[in-house]
Amino acid sequence: MELVERLIRYCEDIIDGRILASKKHIQAMNRFLDDLEKSQTDEFDYEFDVDVVHDFYEWSLNFRHTKGVLAKQPIELSDFQLFIVANIFGWKQKGTGHRRFRKAYIQLARKNAKSQLLALMASYEAFLSGEQAEVYIAGWQKETSNIVYKEILTQIRACDMLEGRFSDSYHQITHLKSGSFIKALSREARKFGDGTSPSFVILDEFHNHETDEILNVLTSGMVARANATAVIITTAGFNLASPCYAEYQYITKILDPDNPVDNDRVFAMVCELDPEDSIKDETVWIKANPLVATYPEGLAFLRGELQTALDMPDKMRNYLTKNMNKWVELRPSGYMSLEKYAQCLDDYTLDDLRGLPCVVGVDLSARVDLTSATFLFSKDGLLYIHNHSFMPEDTLFDKMKTDKVPYMRWVEEGWITTTPGSVVDYEFVETYIEDTARHYGWNVREIISDPWNALSFMTNMANKGFVTIEARQGYQTLSAPTKDFRERVLQKTVKHDGNPVLAWSIGNAVTKSDANLNIQLDKSKATDRIDPIASLINAHLRTLVIDGGSVNLQEHIMSDEFSF
């Protein structure tokens, strides 16, 4: 059967349910078939190069499986593998012949021949690209990069055709004729991105990457290459504040035909269990395991992994993420599910809130750290959030290294304002609140802050005509707004604008409780900064009081927790 016919048949088998697949997998099949049809029209910018697909298929036949039940047998691409490489290498721009996809995101469970496929891609690019290619394998840690690198070496050393045509030294494989090379990198290597001009980048196990630093450095080096591609490949993880989860959310929108987000230059394939699937139902395992779940030994492996997870609950997180490819968030005493919070995303703008009353909560951290202010609005039974943070300019890059988050990008995107010097200048916070409220016609009913380090700030805001309230930090004061905000998120009566700084702080937040089950955020146990969510809780304390909420206003005024 011709390879294109194989691809079309595979897509149809997935779409029609003859092969069980996840929702996103099905969406990827529909996208391919739709694009194949559109490629026959003049309006579509891309064409499908069948010859390239045949070339890659023939290239793979020169190598042998290095492990598993097929060890030492020639590698013949499965339909699933063929679909991935056909998309990455087969789609071209009309007129230029350059690859369509500048980035690919592939997510599937472990033991599904991921390293084997990546090795074939790397050697194909380095040995057959026709130019001096630079191929980089980038894991967060050296061990991760070495897995794929060793797979490449094992494959090409066993290939008689390549004998004497390459060298291997210092974690670099060089094609002697063209000078093209494959190099393993990691965050541990100093100056890992200096002077690179990648033609092909593989970011392996991206869920382990604490920041998108490696991705940004290498993809920025691709600008000089018209035919470059970055392939992100990973299993799911459990850090919903990670750059990998952000990519997952983005490609989810790209694949969804009902979502307006579209990007013709990004390929996406996700093999995962759908929310309604039971991990005990063996028939759905193929959704996350397009290869492992197709043969008896693979199914036996998955059964064993499941039994271990059931017998040892502390192993369940790994089973869900690595074997069922489900993003999960299992944090002891974690304040809130970031997945639930993400579902409250809304496309409102600040202009949509023009003229509304609001409460401003402030968390004035140590002057060398993050400081945040949250404008909180009540409208038609919903809470709308506008959060903004501040950092000292001179410590920004040091904080990026220690906190392992992209502060600079958040500054460029407008979520954070830097203040001159090495400490936060609270005058910038005062001016931001005053100017933003005036610009949008917001009636700031109250400004509320933790009293720590806030005397001067609160005095200045009071002198400017604002009503200022001190939020004493304790269970009796903070438990009600902390619980109520979480409940509103679960009920989807909160709307947010996707502020990544606020989402990151929510992911960091953990709680502590007293004997009466009152709770509050525990700054001493938070893994990272929680200033943005702390400022929001301060604001919600007064929102509950002003709007009636679950707090009795008369009782609150008469209690010891009320103060001016």
Side-chain angles (χ1 to χ4, degrees):
M1 183 186 296
E2 288 293 328
L3 294 183
V4 174
E5 292 179 8
R6 270 186 64 186
L7 287 170
I8 294 173
R9 175 67 62 85
Y10 177 63
C11 291
E12 291 174 343
D13 285 347
I14 293 287
I15 294 168
D16 295 338
R18 287 186 289 273
I19 299 175
L20 200 59
S22 67
K23 179 181 177 180
K24 293 185 181 69
H25 194 158
I26 295 170
Q27 289 171 339
M29 302 295 108
N30 279 315
R31 186 190 190 198
F32 175 77
L33 293 182
D34 289 345
D35 287 352
L36 205 59
E37 184 175 347
K38 287 188 291 187
S39 68
Q40 304 304 310
T41 67
D42 293 336
E43 292 76 19
F44 198 62
D45 294 332
Y46 310 103
E47 60 189 0
F48 191 66
D49 190 339
V50 179
D51 292 337
V52 171
V53 180
H54 278 277
D55 287 346
F56 193 101
Y57 181 80
E58 294 297 328
W59 175 255
S60 67
L61 289 173
N62 291 299
F63 304 97
R64 296 182 179 276
H65 292 273
T66 59
K67 57 181 71 75
V69 296
L70 298 176
K72 298 185 179 181
Q73 295 184 34
I75 297 175
E76 182 165 349
L77 297 177
S78 68
D79 290 344
F80 173 75
Q81 293 173 319
L82 182 64
F83 179 81
I84 289 176
V85 299
N87 275 274
I88 293 175
F89 293 97
W91 281 110
K92 301 291 185 65
Q93 290 178 292
K94 290 179 179 177
T96 67
H98 297 146
R99 283 197 291 260
R100 166 188 176 180
F101 293 119
R102 297 285 289 184
K103 182 163 72 174
Y105 181 95
I106 303 164
Q107 184 179 306
L108 71 161
R110 64 192 297 260
K111 299 295 185 180
N112 280 275
K114 174 173 61 69
S115 297
Q116 178 195 83
L117 187 61
L118 294 176
L120 291 172
M121 290 183 187
S123 61
Y124 177 82
E125 177 71 14
F127 285 73
L128 297 181
S129 66
E131 61 178 4
Q132 193 174 64
E134 295 183 21
V135 181
Y136 294 97
I137 308 157
W140 188 254
Q141 297 176 326
K142 185 184 300 182
E143 290 80 1
T144 305
S145 302
N146 284 345
I147 291 172
V148 177
Y149 187 84
K150 290 176 180 178
E151 177 70 19
I152 299 169
L153 270 180
T154 303
Q155 286 184 7
I156 63 178
R157 282 173 173 169
C159 178
D160 294 337
M161 179 183 68
L162 296 180
E163 186 176 356
R165 299 189 180 186
F166 68 91
S167 64
D168 163 42
S169 61
Y170 299 104
H171 287 85
Q172 178 172 308
I173 298 167
T174 302
H175 181 223
L176 299 179
K177 181 178 181 180
S178 67
S180 299
F181 62 81
I182 303 167
K183 190 175 184 65
L185 300 174
S186 72
R187 180 63 184 86
E188 297 161 339
R190 298 183 64 185
K191 299 181 179 180
F192 64 88
D194 287 2
T196 60
S197 180
S199 55
F200 203 79
V201 173
I202 295 169
L203 286 104
D204 196 16
E205 294 298 0
F206 193 49
H207 72 278
N208 283 331
H209 289 230
E210 296 174 2
T211 72
D212 55 6
E213 178 184 8
I214 295 177
L215 174 63
N216 290 340
V217 169
L218 292 177
T219 53
S220 66
M222 286 167 42
V223 68
R225 300 268 192 172
N227 205 35
T229 301
V231 177
I232 297 171
I233 192 159
T234 187
T235 60
F238 49 85
N239 181 4
L240 274 62
S242 67
C244 187
Y245 188 69
E247 289 285 344
Y248 170 78
Q249 290 179 301
Y250 178 57
I251 63 94
T252 296
K253 296 174 183 176
I254 292 175
L255 288 174
D256 184 355
D258 297 324
N259 193 293
V261 174
D262 191 18
N263 191 333
D264 280 343
R265 307 303 301 276
V266 176
F267 169 71
M269 166 59 74
V270 176
C271 301
E272 63 183 356
L273 259 62
D274 290 312
E276 67 274 12
D277 293 330
S278 168
I279 60 172
K280 296 181 180 180
D281 181 357
E282 294 189 7
T283 64
V284 302
W285 289 353
I286 194 172
K287 290 186 177 184
N289 298 273
L291 299 182
V292 170
T294 60
Y295 60 95
E297 293 86 353
L299 288 172
F301 165 76
L302 292 175
R303 288 189 197 105
E305 294 293 287
L306 173 60
Q307 190 59 54
T308 299
L310 293 174
D311 293 341
M312 305 172 66
D314 60 314
K315 303 289 186 182
M316 182 56 73
R317 181 175 67 176
N318 276 346
Y319 180 77
L320 292 173
T321 56
K322 307 311 174 198
N323 301 114
M324 296 295 110
N325 209 24
K326 289 173 63 72
W327 282 93
V328 297
E329 185 180 26
L330 298 176
R331 293 173 298 128
S333 303
Y335 171 49
M336 183 189 301
S337 165
L338 274 179
E339 184 176 7
K340 296 295 184 183
Y341 177 74
Q343 293 171 5
C344 295
L345 179 66
D346 193 81
D347 59 358
Y348 67 90
T349 66
L350 298 187
D351 279 318
D352 295 327
L353 305 175
R354 188 175 290 276
L356 292 179
C358 64
V359 170
V360 178
V362 180
D363 186 82
L364 300 175
S365 65
R367 285 180 176 265
V368 296
D369 291 329
L370 198 67
T371 286
S372 291
T374 297
F375 295 76
L376 201 57
F377 305 82
S378 294
K379 180 183 177 183
D380 301 327
L382 301 173
L383 286 180
Y384 290 84
I385 302 166
H386 172 61
N387 174 269
H388 195 79
S389 295
F390 305 83
M391 283 195 76
E393 188 174 63
D394 290 355
T395 63
L396 181 65
F397 288 101
D398 287 338
K399 294 297 181 185
M400 284 179 62
K401 294 178 181 178
T402 57
D403 294 356
K404 298 181 175 63
V405 289
Y407 285 128
M408 178 56 73
R409 188 181 73 194
W410 292 341
V411 169
E412 293 170 349
E413 293 175 349
W415 306 109
I416 295 177
T417 294
T418 54
T419 67
S422 58
V423 298
V424 173
D425 186 342
Y426 291 159
E427 288 187 16
F428 278 76
V429 184
E430 297 170 14
T431 301
Y432 182 86
I433 293 172
E434 188 175 19
D435 289 353
T436 306
R438 182 186 302 113
H439 179 79
Y440 291 102
W442 294 337
N443 172 24
V444 177
R445 301 159 84 175
E446 295 177 351
I447 298 176
I448 183 167
S449 176
D450 176 344
W452 187 85
N453 213 27
L455 178 60
S456 176
F457 170 82
M458 298 294 267
T459 300
N460 290 341
M461 298 309 288
N463 290 338
K464 293 178 180 182
F466 293 99
V467 176
T468 59
I469 302 291
E470 176 186 294
R472 294 184 182 176
Q473 302 298 288
Y475 289 115
Q476 290 181 314
T477 307
L478 297 177
S479 183
T482 305
K483 287 182 176 180
D484 189 78
F485 180 73
R486 182 171 61 188
E487 185 63 27
R488 286 176 184 250
V489 167
L490 295 176
Q491 295 173 353
K492 296 183 180 179
T493 58
V494 168
K495 300 294 181 183
H496 67 81
D497 57 4
N499 184 327
V501 189
L502 177 58
W504 170 65
S505 73
I506 292 174
N508 296 332
V510 296
T511 60
K512 59 182 178 180
S513 61
D514 65 9
N516 296 316
L517 300 182
N518 295 308
I519 68 169
Q520 68 179 88
L521 302 184
D522 189 347
K523 293 188 176 183
S524 67
K525 292 183 179 179
T527 55
D528 279 299
R529 308 187 194 286
I530 62 171
D531 310 274
I533 181 59
S535 71
L536 191 156
I537 296 300
N538 284 341
H540 192 42
L541 166 62
R542 297 304 298 169
T543 301
L544 281 177
V545 174
I546 293 172
D547 292 345
S550 60
V551 177
N552 184 288
L553 181 59
Q554 182 64 28
E555 291 181 1
H556 184 78
I557 292 175
M558 298 301 294
S559 71
D560 292 336
E561 277 67 51
F562 183 81
S563 63
F564 288 98

